[in-house]
Amino acid sequence: MRNRHPNQHAMDLLTRIIAILLFVTAISSFGCGNKPAVNGNSATNVNSNSNTAANATNDNVEDLRSLVKIPFEPEEVVFRVLSTADKRQRLLAVFVLTPEIHRSLEIRLASSGPGHPQLVTVEQWFPTELTAMAEMSGETAISGTAFPATEFFQPPYTDGNIVFIPQTDYVVLDLQAK
């Protein structure tokens, strides 16, 4: 596991803010023509598995607590509620934990049985460190150790795993509604 410098969170946040500002600036410069305003997303939304509001990234731990049980206090969290191809709801959350909480959670979950290897597809909205890990490996997924996430279950999310990403303080919670 890695130790995070106290200022690392501020630097990570600053890096994300700068990236978002650059992206917004680039996108807004394309919209400065004389063409009438058209909702360019209307066709895309009709064919997508979920709408934009349900697919929005959220970093509010209290919002997440309203959806699932969280048996610890995370340092950071980012999550999305998605729809699967078979129209089931899926909740995908990435937590940053203190090394102590990370270690105790992993020990507690491992006490009920060994974890199993699992690949986690890295989404664009995942924290920078995880996207960089995937890019460095040349893959779109990173490997981890998965355990049943039963202590997180809260209807309708009653199936899924929590995946520990090695040599980091990240865990990925992947739950589905039955």
Side-chain angles (χ1 to χ4, degrees):
M1 289 184 227
R2 63 180 178 74
N3 291 325
R4 294 173 66 93
H5 188 271
N7 290 332
Q8 183 65 38
H9 294 293
M11 291 302 294
D12 287 346
L13 182 60
L14 182 60
T15 301
R16 288 180 192 161
I17 291 170
I18 290 170
I20 290 169
L21 289 174
L22 288 172
F23 177 77
V24 169
T25 302
I27 294 298
S28 65
S29 68
F30 290 118
C32 294
N34 291 330
K35 294 182 181 179
V38 175
N39 183 356
N41 291 330
S42 59
T44 304
N45 287 342
V46 171
N47 295 324
S48 69
N49 288 334
S50 60
N51 64 36
T52 304
N55 207 12
T57 303
N58 189 335
D59 63 359
N60 186 313
V61 71
E62 294 310 315
D63 289 349
L64 184 57
R65 283 186 200 282
S66 72
L67 300 171
V68 297
K69 296 176 185 174
I70 305 174
F72 50 77
E73 191 60 42
E75 284 192 352
E76 294 178 34
V77 66
V78 60
F79 70 96
R80 279 191 178 177
V81 175
L82 310 162
S83 292
T84 63
D86 61 355
K87 305 291 186 213
R88 291 178 19 180
Q89 279 194 333
R90 177 180 180 210
L91 185 141
L92 192 57
V94 180
F95 295 99
V96 179
L97 306 177
T98 64
E100 297 78 24
I101 291 174
H102 189 276
R103 191 172 23 262
S104 69
L105 179 63
E106 189 170 21
I107 290 168
R108 187 170 69 242
L109 293 174
S111 70
S112 61
H116 62 276
Q118 182 168 327
L119 287 177
V120 174
T121 301
V122 176
E123 307 281 339
Q124 289 180 324
W125 54 270
F126 274 27
T128 306
E129 185 175 343
L130 296 182
T131 56
M133 284 175 67
E135 289 172 2
M136 285 176 42
S137 71
E139 302 292 328
T140 59
I142 53 178
S143 62
T145 303
F147 296 92
T150 51
E151 63 184 74
F152 295 84
F153 293 169
Q154 179 172 299
Y157 300 103
T158 56
D159 188 35
N161 292 315
I162 184 163
V163 183
F164 289 79
I165 307 302
Q167 300 168 350
T168 72
D169 291 324
Y170 288 97
V171 294
V172 178
L173 181 65
D174 187 358
L175 301 179
Q176 296 82 37
K178 282 195 171 183

